[in-house]
Amino acid sequence: MLYAFFALLVLFIGFTLFRTLLLSRRETIPADLRFIPVNLEDAISRLSKAIQFKTISKQDASLVDGDEFKKMHSFLEKAFPQVHETLNKEIINHYSLLFKWEGSNPELKPMMLTCHLDVVPVEPGTEDDWDHPPFQGAITDEHIYGRGTMDVQSGVMAILEAAEALLKQGFSPERTIYLGFGHDEEIDGEFGASEIGRILAERGIELEFLLDEGLPVVEELIEGIKSPVALVAVAEKGYLSLELSILTEGGHSSVPQGKTSIARLGEALHRLEENPLPAKFDGLVKSTFESLCSGMPFPLRYAFANLWMFKTPLRRFLTTIPATDAALRTTTATTIFESGVKENVIPTMAKAVVNFRIHPNDSIESVITHVKKVINDSDIKVEKLFGYIEPSIVSSVENNSYRQLARSIRQIFPEVAVAPSLMVGATDARHYSAISENIYRFFPLRAEQSDLDRVHGTNERLSIENYGEMIQFYSRLVINASVSKPSETLKSVSVPVKPAQS
Ligand SMILES: [Zn+2]
């Protein structure tokens, strides 16, 4: 009996350790030092010129300076002559650009790379806080400064640099490649990406996959994981603000009658925050952590490798950390509360706004049903505020497109762990959902945690070396995803071992 028990115990330990080991292995990508020849100094000076156009998006569209976009279009024409000679260019809604690079094999579905031409304004009063003026495109020894260096004119320019460099090498894709550059992403993309997506859908285009801007390669993203992490967003959370309001009798504060509007609404809000939508340890979260496993300390690796045993405690643990909690569920946050005008008057009306970031497991409808059930007070009116967005579909990580994308990231950033993830903010990507099921969001920008404040903030900047990596990343992705024998294509290129510095 005792013997049988020990035999089982050994078997159990062996089995769970074996699973841990399996998950700890990282697919090794052979070190590949072949790069497309790019003169980085020239590329940086072209980026510096692009930064100088004030293609600023403003909430009031009548204040947008369309000439700046037109000037940028003519600059791109001069900067990338081969692209403009070989690819078909269309101007969409005056300021957005759509390029088509015809592939030789019409049987293959096209791929698409997107980024946006517009940038956010510089917050008035912060201009002097910049080390270099935001629209000067100043180049220092290590960096290029300016609005758009991180979000995301650098992306537009790196994609065009990659295409120009590949064309110079005589490269021609088998798969057709679209390049789409919207002009109003920062104000929801309703006239840019949305129109490009609509036109392509009208033409019956169905994409193999689309890559939009997204999360960068972040150092020290998750405590305990040593390597930098490249999170490829395969879905976007939805957005919903609900206004909750209640109207009661009110009256003089010297003769209160029952619960006030404030108390009733306060109780409802308290119940809502106490009972958020459920956290689920679903397929996406599982693949995120499995992909990051190899860099984790042993106990966590052991737990993730044996989810059948540890799913519930892991889910509980992850919901105690705000960032991972937000990845597991629809979040609930009360953001506005308004009531009362005078200290001795009981107000009749109380209202509040609660903001939800909707997990792809939920929908606007299911959130509203949950809210009404939890607050359980029929006198409280629940109304949607304008600007709501359903969560996106979740794109697969089991297809060739995702594998090619992950492979391209690791060929250029070999030390990085690549993992699928959920994006909390919205990008232009959602405007292409009618033409592709495989939509990914990733940007080959290296950032430390402290750099993330520079996006939409002060002293936005990009390292010159990183810009070289961006160009190499997009050219590698184009090669990997658009021809059937990528390695032969790379061999045919005469290549320096590092991105050319000058
Ligand atoms: Zn952006």
Side-chain angles (χ1 to χ4, degrees):
M1 185 66 193
L2 199 63
Y3 175 76
F5 172 75
F6 276 115
L8 268 176
L9 188 67
V10 168
L11 208 67
F12 170 80
I13 294 173
F15 172 72
T16 51
L17 280 179
F18 175 68
R19 289 187 59 94
T20 313
L21 272 178
L22 267 187
L23 212 61
S24 309
R25 279 187 328 174
R26 204 145 111 193
E27 185 206 355
T28 42
I29 298 278
D32 193 338
L33 295 173
R34 292 171 298 175
F35 294 101
I36 293 297
V38 172
N39 182 321
L40 193 52
E41 208 175 295
D42 290 352
I44 277 289
S45 91
R46 283 187 286 269
L47 176 59
S48 160
K49 292 207 179 77
I51 297 301
Q52 292 169 36
F53 299 106
K54 294 184 174 163
T55 54
I56 304 168
S57 265
K58 299 191 172 143
Q59 274 320 325
D60 180 351
S62 66
L63 298 176
V64 173
D65 186 350
D67 277 351
E68 289 291 311
F69 285 90
K70 289 189 173 151
K71 278 192 242 163
M72 185 162 179
H73 293 178
S74 9
F75 160 71
L76 295 178
E77 227 171 295
K78 283 188 213 95
F80 303 106
Q82 299 258 13
V83 167
H84 285 77
E85 202 183 298
T86 314
L87 278 60
N88 178 57
K89 180 177 93 173
E90 285 176 84
I91 296 174
I92 310 288
N93 252 348
H94 310 294
Y95 311 125
S96 287
L97 295 175
L98 173 64
F99 291 92
K100 182 182 184 187
W101 192 351
E102 190 85 49
S104 58
N105 185 351
E107 303 282 299
L108 298 172
K109 282 194 212 165
M111 60 182 269
M112 186 161 183
L113 303 176
T114 55
C115 266
H116 55 90
L117 296 166
D118 60 318
V119 294
V120 294
V122 170
E123 198 187 323
T126 64
E127 294 87 347
D128 293 342
D129 299 338
W130 285 68
D131 293 342
H132 303 275
F135 292 98
Q136 194 187 67
I139 302 166
T140 65
D141 283 349
E142 278 179 37
H143 292 95
I144 171 160
Y145 279 76
R147 185 56 93 224
T149 50
M150 296 171 92
D151 183 11
V152 75
Q153 281 169 341
S154 52
V156 173
M157 293 297 286
I159 291 171
L160 290 170
E161 290 286 352
E164 186 80 7
L166 285 165
L167 284 166
K168 276 191 190 145
Q169 294 295 319
F171 175 83
S172 64
E174 289 164 31
R175 187 191 297 289
T176 294
I177 302 165
Y178 285 98
L179 310 177
F181 305 129
H183 69 271
D184 58 349
E185 192 270 353
E186 300 293 359
I187 44 170
D188 295 337
E190 284 307 321
F191 298 97
S194 164
E195 188 62 9
I196 299 175
R198 195 189 61 74
I199 288 172
L200 291 177
E202 212 173 71
R203 292 177 190 165
I205 306 296
E206 204 188 310
L207 300 175
E208 182 70 26
F209 79 97
L210 178 141
L211 176 69
D212 192 22
E213 61 161 330
L215 301 168
V217 175
V218 188
E219 315 268 346
E220 286 169 49
L221 179 71
I222 300 166
E223 219 179 312
I225 298 180
K226 286 161 254 138
S227 53
V229 173
L231 290 176
V232 176
V234 297
E236 264 174 26
K237 279 185 134 183
Y239 186 97
L240 173 68
S241 284
L242 292 178
E243 186 182 86
L244 273 53
S245 60
I246 183 167
L247 193 64
T248 58
E249 287 285 307
H252 199 278
S253 64
S254 59
V255 199
Q257 297 178 19
K259 277 185 190 164
T260 61
S261 300
I262 293 178
R264 294 261 299 268
L265 190 57
E267 277 174 11
L269 294 171
H270 178 68
R271 279 199 293 277
L272 264 185
E273 294 199 351
E274 289 290 290
N275 298 283
L277 284 102
K280 291 198 188 100
F281 201 99
D282 64 358
L284 175 56
V285 180
K286 194 167 157 264
S287 21
T288 305
F289 284 97
E290 280 182 357
S291 311
L292 296 175
C293 238
S294 61
M296 286 183 191
F298 181 79
L300 270 178
R301 244 185 303 157
Y302 185 76
F304 278 110
N306 296 286
L307 276 179
W308 54 279
M309 244 188 334
F310 294 107
K311 202 170 176 176
T312 309
L314 266 180
R315 191 188 62 221
R316 278 204 203 111
F317 167 67
L318 292 173
T319 53
T320 60
I321 307 166
T324 43
D325 183 56
L328 262 59
R329 70 163 100 237
T330 295
T331 51
T332 304
T334 306
T335 50
I336 298 174
F337 192 102
E338 283 172 17
S339 188
V341 283
K342 200 164 181 298
E343 68 185 84
N344 61 352
V345 176
I346 295 172
T348 53
M349 171 70 105
K351 58 184 178 179
V353 175
V354 186
N355 182 251
F356 300 88
R357 301 303 173 101
I358 311 172
H359 192 279
N361 285 328
D362 299 313
S363 66
I364 291 175
E365 239 1 89
S366 73
V367 172
I368 294 175
T369 308
H370 170 89
V371 168
K372 286 183 175 163
K373 193 172 144 210
V374 169
I375 61 179
N376 191 25
D377 185 336
S378 55
D379 291 338
I380 295 179
K381 259 205 320 199
V382 176
E383 280 171 303
K384 276 189 292 197
L385 293 184
F386 189 68
Y388 45 84
I389 305 169
E390 287 283 7
S392 74
I393 54 153
V394 181
S395 296
S396 170
V397 294
E398 300 295 336
N399 57 22
N400 204 35
S401 301
Y402 181 81
R403 279 192 286 274
Q404 295 294 9
L405 173 58
R407 190 180 171 81
S408 308
I409 296 171
R410 295 200 20 220
Q411 284 175 330
I412 305 301
F413 304 94
E415 79 288 14
V416 159
V418 182
S421 72
L422 179 62
M423 190 138 162
V424 177
T427 71
D428 265 345
R430 70 182 184 285
H431 297 301
Y432 298 98
S433 56
I435 57 170
S436 189
E437 282 180 355
N438 301 318
I439 294 183
Y440 305 106
R441 305 150 190 86
F442 165 73
F443 191 47
L445 167 79
R446 282 182 189 273
E448 299 194 1
Q449 288 284 352
S450 58
D451 289 327
L452 297 176
D453 293 343
R454 299 175 189 270
V455 179
H456 289 199
T458 300
N459 280 324
E460 192 176 336
R461 70 176 190 189
L462 169 70
S463 92
I464 292 171
E465 199 181 342
N466 189 189
Y467 189 53
E469 290 173 316
M470 279 185 185
I471 299 168
Q472 296 300 331
F473 164 75
Y474 285 115
S475 67
R476 187 63 63 100
L477 178 64
V478 163
I479 294 171
N480 284 343
S482 78
V483 296
S484 43
K485 293 191 175 122
S487 54
E488 285 177 21
T489 307
L490 271 171
K491 254 180 234 152
S492 71
V493 171
S494 64
V495 197
V497 287
K498 276 182 72 190
Q501 291 291 328
S502 57

